[in-house]
Amino acid sequence: GNSVTQMEGPVTLSEEAFLTINCTYTATGYPSLFWYVQYPGEGLQLLLKATKADDKGSNKGFEATYRKETTSFHLEKGSVQVSDSAVYFCALRTGTASKLTFGTGTRLQVTL
Amino acid sequence: EPEVTQTPSHQVTQMGQEVILRCVPISNHLYFYWYRQILGQKVEFLVSFYNNEISEKSEIFDDQFSVERPDGSNFTLKIRSTKLEDSAMYFCASSEGSSPWEQYFGPGTRLTVT
């Protein structure tokens, strides 16, 4: 079956630090890969996605590259801000199925 | 911007009681979903719903669970006889279409079973 493994949090960084949140997956077929973000008190929001190998998803300074050879989709940002503090979820979807398979989420705390 | 809303934000219930979690999806969306996250664990898919019927469900979604779209705006998840292990955050989501349409999530309802 499908599964997603994320690095455990919380991750605490100072503002302007470099961020990496690791995500690896196991899937049948060729999945689409997603990063969702959940800010306090809000729902999960799609941050970025990639639908095929070597695609790079990007949004709001965040990037992730679909690496089929390492089955990974690590989230990166060059310079985090306090407003990036949230929980980040890696997820995948395969074929025409609509259900998403998520990781456990990684809490990011950015301090001044 | 349209958003998915969920009520209540927190529900406390006693074991064996029935609970109904409510969601108002985005108005022009046709596909609806429930997910849950037990504390410290992964977000898990429960069920998807389209055209007034379940289109897909997980093994978690047993006979204790049911979903309904009682009117044109609400989408509900009912748990008939709650167990301690049903304590979790429940997320509702909706999308315009099936894959690859984006799913929009609500803020969640925290269910605590005592």
Side-chain angles (χ1 to χ4, degrees):
Chain A
N2 297 337
S3 69
V4 175
T5 302
Q6 282 182 242
M7 65 187 289
E8 291 195 17
V11 173
T12 302
L13 295 173
S14 298
E15 202 169 41
E16 299 183 2
F18 184 85
L19 168 72
T20 300
I21 300 178
N22 290 336
C23 171
T24 57
Y25 67 88
T26 304
T28 53
Y30 300 99
S32 295
L33 302 173
F34 307 85
W35 277 100
Y36 281 81
V37 58
Q38 185 181 29
Y39 298 104
E42 300 183 17
L44 283 76
Q45 303 171 26
L46 181 62
L47 179 61
L48 55 84
K49 68 179 182 182
T51 57
K52 60 184 188 296
D54 300 325
D55 267 3
K56 178 186 283 187
S58 61
N59 186 25
K60 299 181 181 179
F62 291 90
E63 293 182 340
T65 301
Y66 188 141
R67 301 284 188 203
K68 186 178 168 202
E69 64 277 9
T70 54
T71 61
S72 64
F73 192 56
H74 304 323
L75 182 68
E76 296 181 336
K77 186 174 186 182
S79 176
V80 294
Q81 306 299 311
V82 172
S83 56
D84 294 327
S85 297
V87 181
Y88 292 82
F89 294 88
C90 186
L92 67 82
R93 185 168 60 197
T94 55
T96 56
S98 54
K99 73 174 187 182
L100 291 162
T101 299
F102 285 92
T104 52
T106 302
R107 182 174 298 279
L108 170 66
Q109 181 72 44
V110 181
T111 59
L112 289 171
Chain B
E1 186 175 332
E3 59 182 16
V4 176
T5 60
Q6 291 185 243
T7 55
S9 56
H10 191 192
Q11 173 90 46
V12 181
T13 190
Q14 288 190 326
M15 194 167 51
Q17 295 296 304
E18 175 184 286
V19 294
I20 297 176
L21 308 183
R22 291 183 166 80
C23 169
V24 178
I26 295 173
S27 62
N28 65 330
H29 285 187
L30 300 177
Y31 287 77
F32 314 111
Y33 313 85
W34 284 102
Y35 293 80
R36 77 173 186 189
Q37 184 179 29
I38 296 171
L39 189 64
Q41 299 185 24
K42 299 184 178 186
V43 176
E44 302 170 293
F45 169 80
L46 293 178
V47 66
S48 60
F49 190 86
Y50 168 70
N51 200 25
N52 280 321
E53 59 183 34
I54 291 172
S55 50
E56 189 176 1
K57 62 181 181 179
S58 71
E59 61 276 8
I60 302 168
F61 194 87
D62 61 21
D63 292 343
Q64 292 296 316
F65 292 89
S66 62
V67 289
E68 190 179 26
R69 189 151 163 82
D71 52 44
S73 59
N74 289 283
F75 179 52
T76 62
L77 174 69
K78 181 192 291 186
I79 308 175
R80 288 192 184 79
S81 178
T82 50
K83 307 183 188 70
L84 294 176
E85 54 265 37
D86 293 327
S87 295
M89 181 71 87
Y90 288 80
F91 295 103
C92 173
S94 69
S95 62
E96 284 187 68
S98 185
S99 175
W101 293 98
E102 178 181 347
Q103 294 179 25
Y104 292 81
F105 285 78
T109 292
R110 179 165 297 285
L111 175 65
T112 301
V113 182
T114 61

